[in-house]
């Protein structure tokens, strides 16, 4: 038979777990405009396969069109977010028109909507770019990650690099 003193710890643990799940759901809130598009090989879209993703957190994929503002909000065409799942993970972004683009992806491990950076501004969370350029000193160049789409878009693969 359970006594009141034995039930209290279990009630507290259960309450903590419910609160933790509620907080986690809020942390991984994905806005409607950030939801990836349904993948369809017959549509003009960028179909991105991301390797190196682990379950938990949020996968962020950003499409850029402006070489002068690569990796900055001003140069971004679209940002999509999806709950991180087992690798490989595929996300798709519809295109309005063919062109030259570059894609970045990072695994936001804690879902805080920000890429954690080290003291030297290099990513401190798994990060990758289209064309998988070698990591270099300094800011990546658009030209190293750029690709040109056809009328049906493009299929690309990004390998996340661990920090």
């Amino acid at each position: 038979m359970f006594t009141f003193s034995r039930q209290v710890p279990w009630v507290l643990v259960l309450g903590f777990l419910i609160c933790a799940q509620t907080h986690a759901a809020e942390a991984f809130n994905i806005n409607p405009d950030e939801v990836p598009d349904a993948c369809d090989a017959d549509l003009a879209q960028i179909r991105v396969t991301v390797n190196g993703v682990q379950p938990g957190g949020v996968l962020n994929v950003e499409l850029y069109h402006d070489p002068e503002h690569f990796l900055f909000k001003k140069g971004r065409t679209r940002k999509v977010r999806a709950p991180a799942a087992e690798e490989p993970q595929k996300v798709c972004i519809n295109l309005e028109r063919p062109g030259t683009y570059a894609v970045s992806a990072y695994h936001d491990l804690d879902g805080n909507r920000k890429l954690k950076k080290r003291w030297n501004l290099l990513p401190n969370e798994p990060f990758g770019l289209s064309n998988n350029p070698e990591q270099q000193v300094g800011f990546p160049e658009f030209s190293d990650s750029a690709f040109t789409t056809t009328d049906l878009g493009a299929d690309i693969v990004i390998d996340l690099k661990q920090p």
Side-chain angles (χ1 to χ4, degrees), residues 20-71:
Q21 287 179 333
T22 301
H23 177 70
E26 291 172 0
F28 300 142
N29 184 24
I30 297 173
N31 298 330
D33 63 326
E34 296 173 328
V35 174
D37 297 309
C39 295
D40 186 341
D42 294 328
L43 293 178
Q45 59 183 201
I46 306 293
R47 293 167 292 277
V48 184
T49 301
V50 184
N51 295 318
V53 181
Q54 300 299 319
V58 178
L59 178 63
N60 291 270
V61 178
E62 300 178 350
L63 180 65
Y64 294 90
H65 66 281
D66 183 349
E68 298 299 315
H69 297 98
F70 181 46
L71 299 178

Side-chain angles (χ1 to χ4, degrees), residues 47-55 59-61 84-91 103-107 125-130 132 156-162:
R47 293 167 292 277
V48 184
T49 301
V50 184
N51 295 318
V53 181
Q54 300 299 319
L59 178 63
N60 291 270
V61 178
E86 285 289 327
E87 68 171 329
Q89 187 164 353
K90 190 170 186 176
V91 297
V103 174
S104 72
Y106 73 93
H107 185 175
E125 292 183 295
F127 180 82
L129 298 168
S130 47
N132 297 301
I156 64 169
V157 176
I158 295 178
D159 298 320
L160 295 183
K161 294 176 175 67
Q162 300 299 316

